[in-house]
Amino acid sequence: MKTTVTLSLLGAGLLLAFRPALPPADALKTEALQDLQSHYAEYQQVAQRIWGFAEVGYKETKSSALLQEQLRKNGFTVQAGVADMPTAFVATYGSGEPVIGILAEYDALPGLAQQAVAEKTTIAGQDAGHGCGHNLFGTASVAAGIELKKLLKEGKLRGTVKVYGCPAEEGGSGKVYLVRAGLFKGVDAVLHWHPSNGNAAMTGQYIANKSAKFRFHGIAAHAAASPERGRSALDGVEAMDNMVNMMREHVPQETRIHYVITSGGKAPNVVPDYAEVYYYVRHPNRATVQAVFERVVKAAEGAALGTGTTMDYEIIGGTHELLVNETLARALQRNLEQVGGVSYTPEEAAFGKRIQESLGVPAPPVAQAAEVAPYQPRDAGGSSDVGDVSYVVPTVGLTAATWVPGTPAHSWQAVACSGKEIGSKGMMVAAKTMALTGIDLFTNPDLLTKAQAELRQQVGSYVYNPLLGDRKPALNYRD
């Protein structure tokens, strides 16, 4: 038996000795940069098609199908409709460790239909627009995944790459369901990015968020002839809104509360028997979000009691704050600096200046799009379901200048930029940076080890529990 073990170990050693060494990471990065750029026109076309589709959360049928098509024709095995979401998917190539994931988004925002011009110009017959640039987001992530796949296929990298199709980031919390379904188990690190007006490693914390639709039910009556017989559901909504607005003085100052009345009646002379208001509660800490949200629910209950109506509510979304993995962020920063920013042609610079003029506030120089911000902590401001991913696997991201410097997200100006070549140029900055960082993750085991140790320290004894509970995906939340 002893001899057998010795021979077995010797055989394993011989196999390892004759296993081809991987090329140096720097050489692979140069190859990846050149190859991605050679496919620029193809990826630009994909991004512009998704920009034209402009499909909102959980309705991204054509957008998701197009990205899946790109992955399948490049050799990925695609599992569609995962985690009870018809437009979600996981595309996989390779085998063994490490396993590197890349997140792709593709949902648009309602009410932001806009042509790719420097004046506010809507699109007839269309409501939604890519005001957060997710047409670029999904395409860049797929491009980075395909590039890593090529290196795996050629034997220049070893392991597995997974591209996650993530629907409904804008309020639908699609990634939370992917996490809850266990689809990140066994993944060693995750890459993501976001369109923006500048190039930077993500060192700021997306804040936690919980959202719900509050529905009030009253009694319809003639508002003039028999008002005493009516109980206004709209009164319930307005009473709730008033109480929540007074509550703003008595919550932690970092708290953000937003709402829109999505249904308030049909005619002034009919007492509304149904009304609905859609709320977001945000804070840098998930526990505070939960506590403030419970107070919002109490305000809704009080409003119903005071107006003689009834109320029920549906949780729509809920996301954790983002855990910034500094180990990975510093590695990504080096790759972003190697890639560089976005250079405008004279025509693009002129377009950018017109966009800036439309903002009505001072803006940085248009040429700032070519710069890469130094590594430093910065606030992210908004929320994203990538926060939940960051609690279960080391996660790192960047922003890329897909919009003219100074342009805010969720604006018609952002939609216009996302439909122009300046948006596609920024998209390639992201694709290249993620591909280069992916190469580091495949070739540097110590980087993964340190990143995973950092995550364990950040999470501590906390056991992940989604803020949206056990509800199924809110597939019709945009209806």
Side-chain angles (χ1 to χ4, degrees), residues 18-32:
F18 287 105
R19 191 176 186 183
L22 296 175
D26 288 346
L28 294 179
K29 290 180 179 182
T30 299
E31 179 181 342

Side-chain angles (χ1 to χ4, degrees), residues 366-395:
V366 169
Q368 188 171 300
E371 300 175 5
V372 172
Y375 187 92
Q376 60 185 19
R378 54 178 61 85
D379 293 331
S383 306
S384 172
D385 49 11
V386 72
D388 289 63
V389 179
S390 75
Y391 266 81
V392 298
V393 59
T395 303

Side-chain angles (χ1 to χ4, degrees), residues 69 100 162 175 262 268 309 337 352 359 380 388 396 468 474 476:
E69 177 189 343
I100 306 303
K162 289 178 176 281
K175 297 185 195 68
T262 49
T309 59
E337 290 173 355
L359 298 173
D388 289 63
V396 65
L468 47 72
N476 297 316

Side-chain angles (χ1 to χ4, degrees), residues 42-83:
E42 177 185 353
Y43 292 129
Q44 180 186 26
Q45 183 181 41
V46 171
Q48 293 313 303
R49 288 183 65 188
I50 297 174
W51 184 87
F53 295 153
E55 298 168 302
V56 296
Y58 295 130
K59 312 289 186 182
E60 319 98 319
T61 306
K62 291 182 286 187
S63 304
S64 177
L66 178 57
L67 294 178
Q68 291 180 49
E69 177 189 343
Q70 298 299 309
L71 290 159
R72 283 195 181 95
K73 76 178 186 180
N74 280 281
F76 281 79
T77 299
V78 180
Q79 183 182 5
V82 296

Side-chain angles (χ1 to χ4, degrees), residues 245-446:
N245 285 332
M246 288 187 287
M247 195 176 79
R248 294 178 191 276
E249 184 182 359
H250 310 290
V251 295
Q253 64 179 358
E254 301 90 351
T255 307
R256 299 289 183 268
I257 306 174
H258 334 290
Y259 64 86
V260 290
I261 298 174
T262 49
S263 179
K266 302 299 183 183
N269 63 339
V270 178
V271 175
D273 63 356
Y274 176 79
E276 179 186 84
V277 61
Y278 187 6
Y279 266 85
Y280 275 26
V281 175
R282 309 190 204 227
H283 187 272
N285 180 269
R286 64 191 179 280
T288 303
V289 165
Q290 187 63 34
V292 173
F293 181 82
E294 290 170 2
R295 293 174 63 188
V296 170
V297 172
K298 292 296 184 184
E301 292 171 346
L305 179 64
T307 56
T309 59
T310 60
M311 182 277 302
D312 57 72
Y313 67 94
E314 177 187 7
I315 302 297
I316 299 298
T319 63
H320 282 53
E321 65 272 25
L322 177 70
L323 296 179
V324 176
N325 193 293
E326 188 169 340
T327 298
L328 296 184
R330 290 189 180 278
L332 182 143
Q333 175 76 21
R334 291 189 290 272
N335 290 313
L336 177 57
E337 290 173 355
Q338 179 179 347
V339 171
V342 179
S343 296
Y344 292 163
T345 65
E347 293 78 11
E348 289 166 348
F351 171 85
K353 290 177 181 178
R354 293 199 301 274
I355 286 287
Q356 290 183 331
E357 290 169 0
S358 73
L359 298 173
V361 295
V366 169
Q368 188 171 300
E371 300 175 5
V372 172
Y375 187 92
Q376 60 185 19
R378 54 178 61 85
D379 293 331
S383 306
S384 172
D385 49 11
V386 72
D388 289 63
V389 179
S390 75
Y391 266 81
V392 298
V393 59
T395 303
V396 65
L398 75 147
T399 63
T402 60
W403 312 323
V404 176
T407 303
H410 296 198
S411 64
W412 69 259
Q413 292 92 340
V415 182
C417 292
S418 297
K420 300 286 282 187
E421 186 159 6
I422 58 174
S424 297
K425 287 181 175 180
M427 172 187 77
M428 295 306 291
V429 169
K432 292 172 182 177
T433 303
M434 288 189 294
L436 267 56
T437 306
I439 290 170
D440 285 336
L441 295 171
F442 277 110
T443 59
N444 186 350
D446 288 344

